Amino acid sequence: MRNFELYTPTRVVFGKDTHQQAGPLILELDCKKALVHYGGKSAKESGLLDEVCASLKEAGVNYVTLGGVVPNPRLSKVYEGIDLCKKEGVDFILAVGGGSVIDSAKAIGYGVANPEVNVWEYYTKTQIPHKCLPIGAVVTIAAAGSETSDSSVITNENGWLKRGCHSDACRCKFALLNPRLTYSLPQYQTESGCVDILMHTMERYFVNIETMEIVDGMSEALMQTVIYNARILLKEPGNYNARAEVMWAGSLSHNGLMGCGTGGGDWACHQLEHELSGMFDVTHGAGLAAIWGSWARYVYDANPERFAQFATNVFGIPCDGMDFEKTALAGIEAMEDFFRSIQMPTNLKELGLTLTDSQIQELAFKCSHEDTRTIGMFKHLNLKDMEKIYQIANGTAAI
């Protein structure tokens, strides 16, 4: 067993109508004025924003609101939020939305708590954040798991760079998880969220080192649960139990538990997809589905036994005669079949993209941080490797 550290300080309140506890929970933290941060018109039209604000008002917590967060949240909105918080004397940020809203809230929290630093420097890793305004979340999308993670991802419109920052300082003080709040999501968003949850587990699972049996077992069970319930939600979007299973899986997948003893995880697919959604503004989960099969076929030979274990334990594919390579490839195909079954893309064309050679080169150049780093742990990938994976996903190269 490898050494590891697990820190999960977020208070999770799970179940029906839990969003109405926002006000009292903020009051318990001795905070006086909140920024209620949200996305588009859905929060308003559904009445959720009014209910959350009523909870704050009833508890005696003053608030201001800032909407307009988009998928792949923008740095310009973060700057707007920082300025508003400073002007209004805000001492707490309540994110009402999914991962994009929570990530934006975390970035605003960094900026307010560290006024001497341009917040983007935390995302380029030229500065390290040690403080953040306290954050809470009312989760409306089961996907990113940002409500229990230490991460935040922001897109800078100047160059369309999508970058992440990890720090325990930004972990939410509380997360209110009401599966009913996800009922109104479009099917595409629901299924994209399921892919994101799966990938948060798979990034930690696919490592080329000895892992812990208990963590592998939890990861495999979580993947099976999401796969099973994602298929249910395609046909029964109002199934509360399926919504609840997926929502809790989203938090568990990204709170660190599935990464214990894995050396930190691979994360190559996320890095490759970040550039896609940074440049082309695609939905994150769908982008991950479109790139995963090409990545998997490119790297599996570094440890086919690990992919065979995935195939057998997640999809029930037998490994006859210890033929790890055959079983590994069958497992990759099974995962792609699952993506297709929930109407997710398995290549860039299905994602709606047909890339030119120059666009692929630009993606790889950005992903490699201008050819200064490799990505991945299962197999270390340099700039040329990244280009090749993009080409395979684009249908312009074979493995």
Side-chain angles (χ1 to χ4, degrees), residues 150-163:
D150 68 348
S151 64
S152 165
V153 180
I154 298 295
T155 298
N156 187 340
E157 300 98 316
N158 183 12
W160 295 104
L161 299 172
K162 188 173 180 179
R163 297 290 181 263

Side-chain angles (χ1 to χ4, degrees), residues 1-7 212 214-215 256-257 259-264:
M1 289 190 179
R2 295 175 181 272
N3 293 357
F4 65 85
E5 182 176 326
L6 178 65
Y7 180 60
M212 297 172 67
I214 188 170
V215 176
L257 182 62
C260 292
T262 67

Side-chain angles (χ1 to χ4, degrees), residues 158-173:
N158 183 12
W160 295 104
L161 299 172
K162 188 173 180 179
R163 297 290 181 263
C165 175
H166 293 262
S167 170
D168 284 332
C170 79
R171 288 184 183 270
C172 290
K173 300 300 182 183

Side-chain angles (χ1 to χ4, degrees), residues 249-301:
S251 290
L252 290 177
S253 181
H254 208 32
N255 73 353
L257 182 62
M258 302 302 155
C260 292
T262 67
D266 182 83
W267 299 105
C269 286
H270 265 74
Q271 298 300 320
L272 291 163
E273 195 288 326
H274 280 174
E275 305 309 329
L276 280 175
S277 52
M279 282 179 60
F280 302 105
D281 207 25
V282 300
T283 301
H284 178 54
L288 289 168
I291 208 78
W292 184 81
S294 299
W295 167 83
R297 288 186 173 84
Y298 192 79
V299 306
Y300 84 93
D301 60 353

Side-chain angles (χ1 to χ4, degrees), residues 130-147:
H130 298 290
K131 296 183 293 182
C132 184
L133 218 60
I135 312 290
V138 176
V139 182
T140 63
I141 302 174
S146 295
E147 66 274 7

Side-chain angles (χ1 to χ4, degrees), residues 100-390:
S100 294
V101 175
I102 300 170
D103 284 4
S104 183
K106 290 177 177 180
I108 293 170
Y110 285 144
V112 176
N114 303 275
E116 72 285 356
V117 178
N118 181 339
V119 70
W120 182 243
E121 294 182 49
Y122 295 137
Y123 292 83
T124 60
K125 296 180 174 55
T126 53
Q127 295 281 345
I128 299 174
H130 298 290
K131 296 183 293 182
C132 184
L133 218 60
I135 312 290
V138 176
V139 182
T140 63
I141 302 174
S146 295
E147 66 274 7
T148 54
S149 81
D150 68 348
S151 64
S152 165
V153 180
I154 298 295
T155 298
N156 187 340
E157 300 98 316
N158 183 12
W160 295 104
L161 299 172
K162 188 173 180 179
R163 297 290 181 263
C165 175
H166 293 262
S167 170
D168 284 332
C170 79
R171 288 184 183 270
C172 290
K173 300 300 182 183
F174 62 78
L176 306 180
L177 276 62
N178 176 0
R180 284 181 170 173
L181 299 183
T182 69
Y183 279 10
S184 61
L185 286 175
Q187 176 186 303
Y188 188 79
Q189 273 190 287
T190 294
E191 302 300 346
S192 293
C194 290
V195 174
D196 198 9
I197 294 166
L198 284 167
M199 287 301 304
H200 282 155
T201 300
M202 291 159 69
E203 296 280 24
R204 295 170 168 95
Y205 181 86
F206 284 109
V207 292
N208 198 3
I209 58 174
E210 184 180 358
T211 56
M212 297 172 67
E213 182 179 340
I214 188 170
V215 176
D216 282 354
M218 289 190 294
S219 296
E220 290 156 1
L222 191 152
M223 287 186 272
Q224 287 183 316
T225 295
V226 174
I227 289 167
Y228 177 77
N229 286 285
R231 287 175 169 148
I232 291 176
L233 290 175
L234 189 70
K235 298 178 180 179
E236 303 174 40
N239 187 310
Y240 179 83
N241 287 339
R243 291 277 180 188
E245 294 282 1
V246 169
M247 178 168 262
W248 186 225
S251 290
L252 290 177
S253 181
H254 208 32
N255 73 353
L257 182 62
M258 302 302 155
C260 292
T262 67
D266 182 83
W267 299 105
C269 286
H270 265 74
Q271 298 300 320
L272 291 163
E273 195 288 326
H274 280 174
E275 305 309 329
L276 280 175
S277 52
M279 282 179 60
F280 302 105
D281 207 25
V282 300
T283 301
H284 178 54
L288 289 168
I291 208 78
W292 184 81
S294 299
W295 167 83
R297 288 186 173 84
Y298 192 79
V299 306
Y300 84 93
D301 60 353
N303 187 350
E305 186 172 353
R306 185 63 170 173
F307 273 87
Q309 177 182 328
F310 167 78
T312 299
N313 293 353
V314 175
F315 288 105
I317 299 170
C319 188
D320 297 326
M322 304 294 284
D323 190 342
F324 296 131
E325 181 170 348
K326 179 181 177 181
T327 308
L329 290 170
I332 294 169
E333 183 61 37
M335 187 51 132
E336 290 182 316
D337 285 344
F338 163 71
F339 289 153
R340 296 183 190 102
S341 77
I342 60 168
Q343 301 176 12
M344 284 286 103
T346 59
N347 55 56
L348 296 185
K349 183 179 180 180
E350 293 173 3
L351 187 62
L353 299 176
T354 301
L355 305 183
T356 64
D357 289 343
S358 62
Q359 286 174 322
I360 287 175
Q361 290 166 2
E362 182 180 357
L363 286 167
F365 190 63
K366 287 181 175 180
C367 191
S368 66
H369 289 188
E370 302 182 359
D371 201 15
T372 63
R373 70 164 184 169
T374 61
I375 62 172
M377 181 180 174
F378 196 86
K379 179 188 282 188
H380 295 295
L381 305 172
N382 60 29
L383 182 145
K384 291 299 180 184
D385 296 318
M386 298 175 209
E387 284 185 2
K388 188 66 180 291
I389 293 170
Y390 283 129

